[in-house]
Amino acid sequence: MGRAAKDLDRLSGGKLSPNMVTITGLLAHIPIAWLIATNQYVLAAILLIIFGLFDTLHGALARYQKRDSANGMLLDASTDRFKEVMLYCGVAFSFISTNKAYFAVWAVAACGASLCVSYVKAKGETAVAKSKLTTSEVNRLFQDGFLRFEVRMFLLVIGLLFNVLSPVIVAIAILSGLTAIDRLVKISKKI
């Protein structure tokens, strides 16, 4: 992505900002959620892979342009949550439209548990800021847990590509819940 960031910066004459990449990635998830809702899983998965790379690209571009900032990190984290809500809404709609309404509840649970993983991280960062942990200890503490955002999106892509969305959504719901609880326990022990 470092090479792609340099090339994009050169092609745009330095006018493409990391935040533009972030917002573009967010907006691209609207049609992806619609594709999921209308059961066009393979195309949704392909676009999810392509626009999922924007998460890496905006960071590489920010570092290359020396524009990485707290505001950019906030925008990135916030848009990731918006994307997840849109995608799980699409999944829930898909389940309802294909007479699997009972799995729509699992899509809601997956969405809620995924948001809890991020919420525990955000609140934990605030609490840990007042502690005496080293930077490496803080980084390790907040990378813990099996179902980080990237892993959840990877599993969603697998579910879409191989038409195994129902079990994947159940797994995301359960494992995200366990990840949030695990992070909560680990962070609580450190503060």
Side-chain angles (χ1 to χ4, degrees):
M1 279 299 154
R3 177 72 185 165
K6 289 177 189 177
D7 291 344
L8 278 174
D9 186 65
R10 184 178 46 79
L11 287 171
S12 72
K15 293 180 181 167
L16 180 67
S17 75
N19 287 350
M20 289 172 157
V21 173
T22 301
I23 296 299
T24 301
L26 171 66
L27 295 175
H29 279 69
I30 295 169
I32 294 170
W34 179 81
L35 288 168
I36 294 170
T38 57
N39 308 310
Q40 298 177 64
Y41 294 163
V42 174
L43 183 54
I46 292 167
L47 291 176
L48 196 53
I49 292 167
I50 292 168
F51 288 101
L53 293 174
F54 276 47
D55 275 337
T56 307
L57 179 61
H58 71 85
L61 186 61
R63 285 185 294 279
Y64 179 74
Q65 293 178 341
K66 297 182 180 19
R67 287 174 136 177
D68 45 342
S69 66
N71 283 338
M73 290 180 359
L74 175 64
L75 180 64
D76 174 43
S78 299
T79 56
D80 285 350
R81 305 301 71 80
F82 290 133
K83 289 186 259 185
E84 282 195 282
V85 170
M86 285 189 280
L87 295 174
Y88 291 124
C89 285
V91 169
F93 190 90
S94 174
F95 286 148
I96 291 167
S97 71
T98 57
N99 296 319
K100 295 181 182 178
Y102 47 91
F103 278 109
V105 173
W106 283 104
V108 172
C111 183
S114 296
L115 293 176
C116 284
V117 170
S118 301
Y119 180 81
V120 169
K121 178 182 179 188
K123 287 306 235 180
E125 287 172 340
T126 302
V128 167
K130 299 173 186 172
S131 72
K132 296 181 180 178
L133 294 175
T134 67
T135 303
S136 65
E137 289 173 320
V138 171
N139 286 337
R140 274 196 311 273
L141 186 61
F142 291 114
Q143 293 305 316
D144 275 351
F146 179 66
L147 246 59
R148 297 183 317 269
F149 174 71
E150 301 82 10
V151 177
R152 293 190 301 268
M153 292 301 99
F154 173 77
L155 289 175
L156 185 57
V157 166
I158 295 300
L160 293 167
L161 281 176
F162 297 102
N163 200 20
V164 290
L165 200 51
S166 302
V168 165
I169 289 299
V170 171
I172 289 172
I174 293 168
L175 295 174
S176 291
L178 292 173
T179 299
I181 291 167
D182 181 54
R183 279 188 179 178
L184 179 62
V185 169
K186 287 180 179 174
I187 293 167
S188 295
K189 288 179 180 178
K190 293 287 186 179
I191 56 176

